[in-house]
Amino acid sequence: MTDTRLHTAQNTGETPSWVSELYACFDRMDLEAMLAHFSEDARIRFGNAEPTVGLNAFRATSDAFLGTIAGTAHRFTQVWECGESAMLLAEVEYTCRNGKVLCLPAATALHRRPDGLIDDMQVFVDVSPLFAP
């Protein structure tokens, strides 16, 4: 018997409100509002860095990264949802502290608990161009 749950992801062409709300916080660089979307024990991993576990660890790494940029703007090009999970493809516009603006591709996998809080996020993006001379 085939497990059809593996084939239920849908790309509706619209970004779900819970994703839009989360990324509005990112784009405002409002760390505390962003953290309110995550569970206390959330596991977050950016690129090939070690994952952070828990809001305090995520707060520290996010605060450090946000301190290196002047702003972000996320534009989702594709969004798939399957149950409590979502997969996002985006073009992210980063504004550097020196005024330089770069647009980088990113992919993010999100998982939410039944209460709606995100307990797992994996972001795949190469931000090294932000720090190139």
Side-chain angles (χ1 to χ4, degrees):
M1 177 175 212
T2 303
D3 185 352
T4 58
R5 292 176 296 166
L6 299 176
H7 307 286
T8 58
Q10 294 187 19
N11 183 356
T12 63
E14 295 194 18
T15 304
S17 61
W18 66 275
V19 172
S20 296
E21 291 166 10
L22 171 66
Y23 280 89
C25 298
F26 278 109
D27 291 342
R28 287 192 316 268
M29 294 179 60
D30 185 342
L31 183 56
E32 292 308 312
M34 184 185 355
L35 292 171
H37 292 270
F38 290 86
S39 66
E40 193 63 42
D41 62 346
R43 179 187 179 277
I44 297 109
R45 183 173 191 169
F46 284 87
N48 61 355
E50 288 297 315
T52 62
V53 178
L55 292 184
N56 287 336
F58 185 42
R59 178 182 284 109
T61 57
S62 294
D63 195 41
F65 176 71
L66 292 176
T68 68
I69 60 173
T72 66
H74 291 76
R75 185 176 70 81
F76 297 104
T77 56
Q78 295 183 49
V79 178
W80 293 273
E81 272 194 292
C82 183
E84 297 299 322
S85 297
M87 183 67 197
L88 320 168
L89 295 182
E91 294 177 355
V92 185
E93 186 176 279
Y94 291 93
T95 303
C96 300
R97 293 260 176 219
N98 65 6
K100 178 173 66 171
V101 177
L102 293 170
C103 188
L104 302 175
T108 302
L110 296 168
H111 181 267
R112 297 188 303 164
R113 301 182 323 189
D115 65 5
L117 292 176
I118 298 165
D119 62 0
D120 190 74
M121 179 170 97
Q122 294 187 45
V123 180
F124 303 93
V125 61
D126 177 8
V127 295
S128 62
L130 297 176
F131 307 104

